[in-house]
C-alpha cells in the first residue's frame, strides 16, 4: 500500500523551469502522462540495459582470451617437457633404421624421358577430348613426310581444325633430333588407328630418308619412351605394335619392310635401363 502511495506521489511531482521570454520567474508544469517524460524514462532504461549487455560481452571476451592464453601456455610447457625429458630418451633407445629399400632385388623404375607438353586445342579434327579409359597397346607410326620436324607435324595436326582436311593426331611426336612433343593427354583418345583409338596410345616419328628409317636420335628417344610407357601401363613387348599390325597400312614404312629392324627395336625396349 505504501509503495502505491509513493508511486502516485512521484507521478504528481511538478517540474520547474524558466518559461521562455520570462527570465527569472519560475513556473511549474504537471508531467503526469507527459510524452516527453515517458520517452526519457524508456531511453534511460534502454541505455542501462545496453550498458549491462556491453559489460557482459566484455567479461565473456576477457574470459575467452584468458582461457586461450592458458591453453597456449599449457601446450608450450608440455612441448618443452617432451622435448627435453621424453624425446631425448626415446632417441637414445630407438635403433637406426636402414634407409635402403626392403626388397633390394626390386628393379629401379625407368624415369620418363624429357617431354615438351604442347597440347592441341580441343577440336573435332585432331583432339576430340574423348575419354581413354584403358590402354592395351602402343602403336608406332611414321609421319610419311620426310624432313619435317616434330613442331611442323604438331602444327599440321593443329591446322586440321581450320582446313578440315581429315582427322588425324597422335599422343606423341618424336623429331629427327630426338625431341619429344606431347600433343594429346594420355587419358584422351587420339585420331591415329581408326579401330583402336579407344584403347591405345600412338607415337608419330619423324625421319629424313625416303626409306623411312629413323635417325639414331629418333630411335633412342622412341626406345626410351616405349620402355617408360610399357612400365607405366604394365604392358609386354608384344603389346607394342606398328600401325601396319592393325589394318595393313605401310606404317612405319622402314619397320614394315625390315622385320629384323622391328624385332631389334622391341629387344632394345626390353633391355632398356634408366
Amino acid at each position: 500500500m505504501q509503495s502505491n502511495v509513493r508511486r502516485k506521489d512521484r507521478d504528481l511531482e511538478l517540474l520547474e523551469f524558466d518559461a521562455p521570454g520570462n527570465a527569472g520567474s519560475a513556473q511549474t508544469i504537471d508531467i503526469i502522462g507527459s510524452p516527453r517524460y515517458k520517452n526519457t524514462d524508456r531511453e534511460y532504461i534502454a541505455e542501462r540495459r545496453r550498458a549491462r549487455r556491453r559489460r557482459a560481452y566484455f567479461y565473456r571476451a576477457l574470459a575467452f582470451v584468458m582461457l586461450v592464453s592458458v591453453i597456449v601456455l599449457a601446450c608450450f610447457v608440455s612441448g618443452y617437457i617432451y622435448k627435453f625429458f621424453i624425446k631425448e630418451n626415446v632417441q637414445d633407445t630407438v635403433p637406426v633404421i636402414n634407409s635402403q629399400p626392403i626388397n633390394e632385388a626390386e628393379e629401379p623404375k625407368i624415369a620418363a624421358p624429357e617431354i615438351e607438353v604442347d597440347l592441341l586445342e580441343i577440336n573435332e579434327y585432331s583432339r576430340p577430348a574423348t575419354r581413354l579409359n584403358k590402354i592395351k597397346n602402343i602403336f608406332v607410326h611414321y609421319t610419311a613426310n620426310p624432313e619435317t620436324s616434330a613442331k611442323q607435324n604438331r602444327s599440321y595436326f593443329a591446322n586440321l581444325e581450320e582446313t578440315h582436311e581429315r582427322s588425324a593426331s597422335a599422343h606423341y611426336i618424336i623429331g629427327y633430333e630426338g625431341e619429344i612433343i606431347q600433343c594429346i593427354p594420355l587419358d584422351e583418345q587420339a585420331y591415329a588407328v581408326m579401330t583402336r583409338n579407344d584403347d591405345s596410345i600412338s607415337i608419330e616419328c619423324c625421319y629424313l630418308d625416303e626409306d623411312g628409317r629413323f635417325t639414331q636420335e629418333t630411335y633412342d628417344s622412341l626406345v626410351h619412351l616405349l620402355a617408360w610407357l610399357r612400365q607405366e601401363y604394365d604392358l609386354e613387348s608384344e603389346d607394342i605394335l606398328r600401325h601396319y599390325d592393325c589394318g595393313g597400312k605401310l606404317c612405319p614404312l622402314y619397320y614394315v619392310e625390315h622385320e629384323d629392324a622391328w624385332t631389334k627395336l622391341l629387344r632394345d625396349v626390353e633391355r632398356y635401363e634408366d
Side-chain angles (χ1 to χ4, degrees):
M1 184 69 177
Q2 292 178 356
S3 175
N4 293 334
V5 171
R6 284 196 299 271
R7 187 181 303 108
K8 185 175 181 180
D9 291 342
R10 179 178 62 79
D11 293 340
L12 293 174
E13 289 178 353
L14 297 177
L15 175 67
E16 290 188 356
F17 70 100
D18 291 336
N22 191 17
S25 64
Q27 295 184 4
T28 61
I29 62 171
D30 189 352
I31 64 171
I32 297 175
S34 170
R36 181 178 179 183
Y37 173 78
K38 290 182 179 179
N39 291 339
T40 302
D41 196 33
R42 292 192 190 98
E43 291 175 359
Y44 172 73
I45 294 173
E47 180 59 30
R48 290 192 61 185
R49 288 176 178 171
R50 287 194 291 269
R52 284 197 298 269
R53 284 197 294 268
R54 286 195 294 268
R55 285 196 297 272
Y57 292 150
F58 172 76
Y59 291 136
R60 290 173 186 168
L62 182 61
F64 177 77
V65 171
M66 293 178 65
L67 177 61
V68 171
S69 300
V70 170
I71 293 174
V72 171
L73 181 60
C75 293
F76 177 79
V77 173
S78 300
Y80 180 86
I81 294 173
Y82 175 79
K83 179 179 179 181
F84 288 95
F85 295 100
I86 300 177
K87 187 177 180 180
E88 290 183 357
N89 294 334
V90 171
Q91 289 177 342
D92 291 340
T93 57
V94 175
V96 177
I97 299 175
N98 192 340
S99 60
Q100 296 297 323
I102 296 176
N103 184 7
E104 296 182 356
E106 183 179 353
E107 295 181 1
K109 292 193 67 175
I110 298 172
E114 184 176 345
I115 298 172
E116 178 186 350
V117 179
D118 190 7
L119 302 180
L120 300 169
E121 295 293 332
I122 294 176
N123 68 89
E124 61 179 314
Y125 289 92
S126 55
R127 185 187 169 190
T130 307
R131 189 76 178 172
L132 179 60
N133 295 315
K134 59 182 178 180
I135 295 174
K136 295 173 60 178
N137 294 103
I138 304 171
F139 284 96
V140 177
H141 308 254
Y142 86 136
T143 60
N145 193 5
E147 299 184 7
T148 56
S149 67
K151 286 187 178 295
Q152 288 173 325
N153 282 279
R154 190 265 178 205
S155 296
Y156 171 75
F157 290 150
N159 289 335
L160 290 174
E161 181 181 7
E162 304 296 333
T163 65
H164 302 179
E165 178 183 341
R166 65 190 183 105
S167 296
S169 60
H171 293 89
Y172 296 100
I173 305 172
I174 302 179
Y176 50 75
E177 294 182 351
E179 70 276 18
I180 303 174
I181 298 178
Q182 182 175 2
C183 301
I184 304 288
L186 293 178
D187 59 354
E188 292 181 20
Q189 296 182 26
Y191 284 141
V193 182
M194 186 177 297
T195 60
R196 297 294 310 283
N197 290 330
D198 60 345
D199 63 358
S200 64
I201 294 173
S202 283
I203 304 171
E204 286 278 1
C205 296
C206 300
Y207 62 101
L208 296 175
D209 298 329
E210 291 291 340
D211 63 359
R213 185 171 186 172
F214 301 156
T215 65
Q216 190 61 49
E217 292 80 5
T218 302
Y219 185 90
D220 292 342
S221 293
L222 176 61
V223 169
H224 188 172
L225 181 59
L226 288 171
W228 175 66
L229 289 172
R230 192 182 74 153
Q231 167 193 266
E232 293 300 301
Y233 294 98
D234 195 24
L235 301 175
E236 302 297 333
S237 294
E238 54 266 26
D239 296 323
I240 300 172
L241 303 175
R242 300 164 294 185
H243 191 176
Y244 169 79
D245 297 316
C246 183
K249 183 177 180 179
L250 299 180
C251 174
L253 180 62
Y254 184 84
Y255 299 90
V256 172
E257 295 180 343
H258 299 80
E259 289 284 347
D260 56 333
W262 179 250
T263 302
K264 180 181 181 301
L265 187 147
L266 296 181
R267 284 201 308 267
D268 289 342
V269 172
E270 288 182 347
R271 292 197 299 256
Y272 185 86
E273 293 182 3
D274 186 19

